[in-house]
Amino acid sequence: MAYTTIDKSSLHFNTKLYTGTGSSNAITGVGFQPDLLWIKSRSSTYSHSWTDAVRGKDNKIASNNSNAQYTDAGQLTSFDSDGFTLSTDAGVNNNGSTFASWNWKANGAGSSNTDGSVTSTVSANTTSGFSIVKYTNPSSGSPFTVGHGLGAAPKMIMIKNITGSAQNWGVYHTAPGFGKYLQLNTTIDEATANLVTATSNTTFSTYYDHHTAGVDLIAYCFAEIKGFSKIGFYRGNGNADGAFAYTGFKPAFVLFKEYTGAGDANWVIQDSKRVGFNPNNNRIYPNDSAAENTSSFRIDMLSNGFKLRSSDGDANENGNNFLYLAFAEAPLVGSNNIPATAR
């Protein structure tokens, strides 16, 4: 695990809430120029929208379906130094609708990486442990390796084909482990396949037969940075006084998913910006286009982790394991070794 040199978490990851206008809409206050922008309407049933600097501002994929990349110049006008500017598309800017955006900083459009057996285009932020990786699936040579540019082994990788026919997302996470995967666009629990079979400080290993030969793929890679990010798991207890997950910091964002059992639970996003408004009305499902869920549900973002306050099966099914990805509201300890709360 790498140690953070981050003094301000929001310069690398930030949640930004906004209201659509139906016309050109400059969203500021992100704190940096995002390289991965994930948008979801909170109040309407529009699909999730994923845009990144490697694929380009007009190219979209959605976590709630298996479709390959599509082109839509009507959503994003530009990535800006302190946020982004939206065009008129209702899916990201419907007049009067509320939206959540999750923003990550990588390193722009990326550059060629030859660390693996196939060449990749990599945009990497080694400080925060996040990279965007584009590569072409070969027709032979399994396992093959792909350079990720992080300088530390990723503990979570989300992979999606962006050309060819519809194929499900594949998600590797260190909790289920190598040779296991989940699908970001479905509710399935862990399944067995050679999506990712090994990771190192420079590459990850995968098999060509998990995707169609010749298609282009995009991978979002996350390495754990102590005090800034945590990639782990917790076990549900089925009680209203629910499970606690220790992260070592107050989370700004948590993505979690049950991966054992037969419940086939949803993926869930919670973030501190929306929790602050109404802790019982803030679930967003990455695998579903539904508006923000309004059923009774609560998660407490604590100074050293997060605690479930519900027996809900999507978050706290008794005896089942849940994987998660969390980012800090503030780093536990900054580069000067002073706790964030003391600065």
Side-chain angles (χ1 to χ4, degrees), residues 76-301:
L76 183 66
T77 302
S78 59
F79 292 112
D80 305 329
S81 61
D82 189 33
F84 51 93
T85 298
L86 301 167
S87 188
T88 58
D89 188 278
V92 296
N93 194 25
N94 187 55
N95 187 32
S97 293
T98 56
F99 293 86
S101 73
W102 302 286
N103 302 265
W104 284 265
K105 179 179 177 59
N107 191 24
S111 58
S112 179
N113 181 297
T114 57
D115 289 338
S117 58
V118 300
T119 299
S120 54
T121 299
V122 175
S123 175
N125 182 343
T126 56
T127 301
S128 69
F130 170 63
S131 68
I132 305 168
V133 179
K134 182 182 176 184
Y135 61 100
T136 300
N137 197 47
S139 58
S140 62
S142 289
F144 66 95
T145 57
V146 183
H148 55 67
L150 289 176
K155 298 181 73 173
M156 186 171 185
I157 305 173
M158 305 177 186
I159 301 174
K160 181 71 183 78
N161 70 298
I162 55 175
T163 61
S165 58
Q167 291 181 275
N168 291 316
W169 286 72
V171 180
Y172 157 74
H173 190 284
T174 187
F178 298 127
K180 301 286 187 179
Y181 77 101
L182 292 93
Q183 297 171 345
L184 188 60
N185 59 298
T186 78
T187 61
I188 68 163
D189 293 331
E190 65 178 4
T192 300
N194 291 318
L195 177 69
V196 173
T197 57
T199 59
S200 74
N201 289 349
T202 56
T203 65
F204 63 88
S205 299
T206 183
Y207 278 61
Y208 76 89
D209 55 359
H210 195 81
H211 292 94
T212 303
V215 301
D216 290 334
L217 299 161
I218 198 77
Y220 303 106
C221 303
F222 301 89
E224 190 172 278
I225 304 295
K226 186 174 183 179
F228 171 74
S229 60
K230 183 69 175 176
I231 302 168
F233 78 98
Y234 65 89
R235 184 180 294 272
N237 65 17
N239 297 323
D241 181 17
F244 169 75
Y246 176 81
T247 61
F249 51 75
K250 183 177 181 180
F253 171 98
V254 182
L255 168 69
F256 54 89
K257 170 72 173 79
E258 178 187 71
Y259 68 91
T260 62
D264 288 347
N266 289 293
W267 290 83
V268 178
I269 295 175
Q270 299 288 109
D271 61 70
S272 58
K273 301 288 179 68
R274 291 179 303 114
V275 166
F277 283 103
N278 187 342
N280 291 323
N281 293 281
N282 59 357
R283 258 186 297 185
I284 288 178
Y285 298 139
N287 55 283
D288 199 313
S289 63
E292 196 169 51
N293 189 284
T294 58
S295 63
S296 179
F297 180 87
R298 182 176 172 188
I299 180 172
D300 287 347
M301 302 292 204

Side-chain angles (χ1 to χ4, degrees), residues 6 9 17 49 72 87 124 164 209 218 228 235 299 312 316 326-327:
I6 296 171
S9 298
L17 308 180
S49 174
D72 186 347
S87 188
D209 55 359
I218 198 77
F228 171 74
R235 184 180 294 272
I299 180 172
D312 187 278
N316 194 30
F327 294 99

Side-chain angles (χ1 to χ4, degrees), residues 22-61:
S23 58
S24 182
N25 192 2
I27 308 301
T28 60
V30 171
F32 54 87
Q33 181 169 314
D35 295 305
L36 171 59
L37 171 61
W38 179 358
I39 295 175
K40 177 66 183 82
S41 173
R42 302 170 61 197
S43 54
S44 303
T45 57
Y46 297 113
S47 283
H48 294 254
S49 174
W50 291 54
T51 311
D52 64 66
V54 173
R55 293 181 296 117
K57 70 178 183 63
D58 294 337
N59 297 313
K60 315 296 177 184
I61 50 178

